[in-house]
Amino acid sequence: MTTATPARAAAGRAPDRSRAAVDWRLRFAFLSLVWGFSFLLIKVGTQAYAPFQVTLGRLLFGTLVLAAAMAVRRERLPRGARTWGHLTVAAFFLNALPFSLFAYAELTVPSTLAGICNATSPLWGMALSLVALSEDRPTRVRVAGLGLGFLGVLTVLGAWQGFQGVDATGTALALLASLSYPVGWIYVRRTLAGTTASHLSLTGAQLLLATAQLAFVTPLFTSVPSSFPILPLLAVVALGTLGTGVAMLVQYGLVSEVGPTTAQMVTYFIPVIATAAGVALLGESLTWSTPVGAAIVLAGAALTQAGPRTGSGGEPGVPADAPRPRRRP
């Protein structure tokens, strides 16, 4: 659930490889688990709350985590109307829109399918970058990866059976959510490159703006819940604090220590964990085409990242190597 730091990618600074208190491999595993379980948490949250409410709660708690981190580090929000204007657009495409689309998608599709759809973000990113970013040139390997990846999507959906048993609307929403991330990444690269504000400051502002967008939209389409079931509520809290706020902080630390190439490998673990969680904890069904198709999607995504990359991060939020203010889920 897509999870980009404009400040680092835009500024082009070298990774900081200083030692951290917790080994980067443990943080990498934590990030994979948190983002992989995000799709299960969305499913549980939407069992009691409207999709917009789940998204609003997710953004609110994620913003609070980043606000606390900014307070501890004594960082301020970025300045300048231009920066805030671009961050508003980034907040929409990297947070508000994909988070909401995944929440609506999981009303009708299993969390396993949503997690696999999230893995198509690198495929969309590669296709869009060939059009929007002049510095990206297609290679045979990357084009082959693009074709292979979408073949994997067709395998997951059971195209040879006429897509029987697959909710077309829910699947389309999940794929649109995955497409929204690279749209946001490319926009950020084109507009926020060279920004002097820190990645924490930019991301805090981005999540704050996304929260404001959902706070405006949610009352228009939903009513206040008559009750607050504890399990779905805890799922939303965990989704926001861990899956959005803490996860972004961990991701930035990984990018600083081991670089964006290694950090973005988390993308390939998310659908595996999302599938295992959905089957084991939610009792979602699993046919042979799901794991096979997911493996093909991941192989295709890996090939599209061969050579120079634009950054196609993993989660719900922002790409690992984009200038960050980057999903899903």
Side-chain angles (χ1 to χ4, degrees), residues 241-268:
T241 56
L242 295 177
T244 302
V246 173
M248 284 187 172
L249 294 175
V250 171
Q251 185 196 31
Y252 301 145
L254 285 174
V255 172
S256 297
E257 183 173 348
V258 301
T261 301
T262 300
Q264 79 167 13
M265 291 295 291
V266 71
T267 304
Y268 307 114

Side-chain angles (χ1 to χ4, degrees), residues 157-241:
L157 300 181
W160 65 92
Q161 298 176 331
F163 304 104
Q164 294 179 4
V166 176
D167 182 80
T169 300
T171 303
L173 291 176
L175 290 173
L176 283 174
S178 302
L179 171 61
S180 181
Y181 290 131
V183 171
W185 302 332
I186 291 173
Y187 179 83
V188 162
R189 286 194 62 184
R190 284 187 171 276
T191 60
L192 289 173
T195 302
T196 57
S198 71
H199 66 260
L200 179 57
S201 174
L202 289 169
T203 306
Q206 179 185 311
L207 281 188
L208 178 63
L209 289 166
T211 303
Q213 292 169 3
L214 261 294
F216 174 78
V217 170
T218 300
L220 300 178
F221 296 94
T222 67
S223 56
V224 177
S226 57
S227 62
F228 293 87
I230 187 62
L231 185 59
L233 180 59
L234 290 176
V236 174
V237 173
L239 184 63
T241 56

Side-chain angles (χ1 to χ4, degrees), residues 33-97:
L33 285 171
V34 167
W35 276 345
F37 270 86
S38 291
F39 298 95
L40 178 148
L41 294 175
I42 293 172
K43 174 67 78 172
V44 174
T46 54
Q47 291 175 355
Y49 306 109
F52 276 143
Q53 293 169 343
V54 171
T55 303
L56 175 58
R58 173 183 191 173
L59 289 168
L60 176 61
F61 287 108
T63 301
L64 291 176
V65 170
L66 290 185
M70 290 179 65
V72 170
R73 300 180 188 180
R74 297 182 179 180
E75 293 208 24
R76 297 180 177 179
L77 291 171
R79 298 180 179 180
R82 175 184 174 278
T83 298
W84 280 89
H86 291 316
L87 285 175
T88 299
V89 178
F92 177 75
F93 283 109
L94 291 173
N95 302 111
L97 180 61

